[in-house]
Amino acid sequence: MKDKLAEAKSFEFIDFGLPEDLGGDDVLSVKKDAFWSYCGPLLSKPDDLPSNLHDWAGTALSGPLLPLVLPLLAFVNDFVAANGLTHYWLTIRATKATAEFDRPRWHTDDLFFSRNSDSAAREGKTKKRKLDLDLDLQTDWKLCATLLGPATMFIPPEHQAAARATSASTKQALSTDHPCTSIRCVGCAATADAVRTSLADKFAPLNPVQAAPGECSVFRIGSERGAVHSEPSMSKGDRIFVNVVPGKEDELTALVAKWGMSFPRSWWIAPGVVRGRE
C-alpha cells in the first residue's frame, strides 16, 4: 500500500479497496442533511466505532453505512499510522441533492493546528521561518473520500501552482477594508462570494480531475503548498463525503476544547433532530 504523498505533489488518488459490488450509487440514499464527527484515537476495529455513529446513520441514511465505510477506515488507519500518527478528526457528511455547488468554490484548506513560535517571533524571524516552524509541528496533508455521489474536484496537477497564485492575487484584488462586526461578517461574505465567482470563471477551462469510486484523495493543505479544490456539483443526486484530518493527541484535544468538549469525543447534528453525543 502506498503510504506517503509524494513530496512534489499537492494531491494523489489512491485506491482504498472498496469491493466492486458496493460501488454503485444505488446502494443507499440520503434521507436528511446531517454530519457525524469524531475526534480521538484511530478506530481500528468495528467494536471501536462509537454507538452514536449507528444512531446518525439510521437518521440520515436509507441503508447500512458500515459495508462502505469500513474498507475506507481500514485504509485511512493504515495510512495515518504509517505516517507516525495515532489520532484523527473524522467527519462523515450526508447531503441531499442541492444546487449550492453548481458554481465551484475553489480554495485551499487552512492549516488546522497552527503553532507559531512566540520566541521565534520575538527574535525577529521572517514570516517564512514561522511557516517552516508550523509545518515542522503538524501534518500538512489530509484525506477525503466519497462513498456516494461525485468526488471532490481538483485543479489538474500541472496547473496547481498557477492556481494557488491566481487564488492569492484574486483575493488581494477583491478584498475591501471594512470593520468585521460579527462572526458572520457581511463584508467578508461579500468578498468571499466575489472571489468564488471570479475563480470559477478563471478556472473553468482547466478541466478538473476527480477520484474514481473506491479511491481516496490525499492532499496538502495550507496556502503555500495546498491543493486547490472544490466541492463538486451535487444537483443530480445525494452525496456521502468523508473528511479525515490527522493530528497529534494534544492538537486534537486543544481543538475540541475550543468547542467546550472533552476528548475523545463523537457527536452528530441533523436539522430538526436532537444532537447525538458520546
Side-chain angles (χ1 to χ4, degrees):
M1 183 196 79
K2 183 176 177 60
D3 59 9
K4 294 283 185 182
L5 176 58
E7 183 65 26
K9 293 186 177 182
S10 58
F11 71 92
E12 282 190 81
F13 303 143
I14 305 175
D15 184 88
F16 65 81
L18 183 68
E20 290 185 6
D21 59 342
L22 295 177
D25 282 1
D26 57 348
V27 174
L28 78 170
S29 61
V30 175
K31 297 191 295 185
K32 178 184 285 291
D33 287 357
F35 76 84
W36 177 86
S37 276
Y38 164 81
C39 266
L42 303 184
L43 301 171
S44 301
K45 306 184 297 295
D47 288 348
D48 293 337
L49 297 174
S51 61
N52 62 7
L53 173 61
H54 308 293
D55 298 335
W56 173 84
T59 298
L61 308 178
S62 66
L65 175 67
L66 292 189
L68 290 172
V69 80
L70 287 179
L72 174 62
L73 269 183
F75 166 82
V76 166
N77 290 338
D78 288 345
F79 194 96
V80 171
N83 283 272
L85 296 167
T86 56
H87 293 73
Y88 47 39
W89 174 21
L90 171 69
T91 300
I92 306 175
R93 186 175 299 276
T95 307
K96 292 192 66 64
T98 175
E100 182 179 356
F101 295 104
D102 285 354
R103 178 182 53 163
R105 186 180 69 95
W106 296 111
H107 63 286
T108 58
D109 285 353
D110 293 334
L111 293 166
F112 289 93
F113 311 114
S114 183
R115 304 176 74 179
N116 283 335
S117 168
D118 291 335
S119 60
R122 284 194 298 269
E123 292 171 8
K125 301 295 185 182
T126 64
K127 181 179 180 180
K128 183 179 186 303
R129 174 55 182 155
K130 290 199 289 182
L131 175 64
D132 290 341
L133 286 169
D134 280 346
L135 299 184
D136 287 343
L137 291 168
Q138 67 169 80
T139 54
D140 68 336
W141 54 272
K142 58 181 282 193
L143 308 95
C144 73
T146 304
L147 301 179
L148 174 70
T152 299
M153 302 190 301
F154 289 85
I155 296 295
E158 65 271 23
H159 298 299
Q160 278 286 335
R164 284 191 292 272
T166 299
S167 297
S169 62
T170 301
K171 290 176 184 177
Q172 184 174 16
L174 295 177
S175 64
T176 59
D177 291 330
H178 65 273
C180 289
T181 56
S182 67
I183 294 177
R184 295 185 176 181
C185 173
V186 175
C188 291
T191 298
D193 193 60
V195 170
R196 178 177 177 177
T197 298
S198 179
L199 292 181
D201 291 340
K202 291 176 179 178
F203 295 160
L206 296 184
N207 297 320
V209 294
Q210 295 170 278
E215 288 185 332
C216 181
S217 302
V218 183
F219 62 101
R220 299 198 187 282
I221 61 177
S223 59
E224 296 291 322
R225 303 177 66 202
V228 180
H229 64 286
S230 172
E231 298 86 350
S233 172
M234 298 178 232
S235 57
K236 295 182 179 180
D238 301 342
R239 187 177 191 233
I240 302 174
F241 172 74
V242 182
N243 186 66
V244 183
V245 179
K248 299 175 183 177
E249 181 176 2
D250 62 333
E251 293 170 333
L252 290 165
T253 299
L255 179 69
V256 295
K258 292 179 181 178
W259 305 328
M261 296 181 179
S262 57
F263 182 87
R265 185 64 175 262
S266 63
W267 68 99
W268 61 274
I269 294 177
V273 178
V274 176
R275 287 184 299 175
R277 55 180 257 177
E278 182 167 292

